[in-house]
Amino acid sequence: MRRSLPALGLSLPLLLGAAACSPGPVGIAVPSPAPEVATACAALISALPDRITEGERRKTDPVSPLTTAYGDPPIELTCGVSPPVGMTEAASQCFEVNGVGWFAQEAPNGVIFTTIGRKLYLEMAVPNAYSPEANVLTDVADPIKTHNPVITPCT
């Protein structure tokens, strides 16, 4: 019995240390879209993959069916946002990745991508750590095409 106690004594600090290092929930502001948009966004967010570029899905704070995050530093996704400023002139700024049109805005710590030409506005904030930031868009293309119909194709 004495031999097992030192082993348990070593395991507990190691487990507590591992738990302390795991990233907590990601704080993301929750939009307030119309009920039909919120319902469609919840379906889209739940259909997103478990991983994006090796980053696993993370909890958000507050918990919302309109938001999710991946990896560390977190890639933040929010559905049901308003069109970003500058999107009205976006026809020439639309670029397509795997059949999904995006509008890109530089941010201090990365790039904010917003779906363009689709029923729902999905925003992805991608930190510079994932450079080139547009590469992460390939991981979400299929669920977006399935759950967010095209209204105007990206040209």
Side-chain angles (χ1 to χ4, degrees), residues 4-148:
S4 63
L5 289 176
L8 288 175
L10 289 174
S11 298
L12 187 57
L14 289 175
L15 289 174
L16 292 175
C21 292
S22 61
V26 177
I28 300 178
V30 178
S32 299
E36 64 275 5
V37 171
T39 299
C41 280
L44 172 57
I45 293 291
S46 69
L48 292 172
D50 292 334
R51 299 175 72 81
I52 291 180
T53 69
E54 305 305 317
E56 292 185 17
R57 194 183 278 239
R58 293 177 58 183
K59 293 181 181 184
T60 59
D61 181 29
V63 174
S64 170
L66 306 179
T67 63
T68 194
Y70 294 86
D72 189 21
I75 297 168
E76 301 173 10
L77 288 87
T78 308
C79 189
V81 298
S82 298
V85 175
M87 190 179 244
T88 54
E89 312 86 45
S92 62
Q93 298 173 14
C94 180
F95 70 96
E96 194 171 290
V97 176
N98 288 9
V100 177
W102 295 93
F103 174 72
Q105 292 179 297
E106 293 291 324
N109 62 343
V111 179
I112 299 172
F113 298 99
T114 307
T115 54
I116 189 170
R118 293 189 173 262
K119 181 179 177 181
L120 308 170
Y121 290 106
L122 174 73
E123 180 180 279
M124 284 184 71
V126 183
N128 289 330
Y130 298 95
S131 184
E133 293 87 345
N135 285 353
V136 304
L137 303 176
T138 60
D139 292 341
V140 296
D142 287 341
I144 289 172
K145 289 187 288 189
T146 301
H147 295 277
N148 194 1

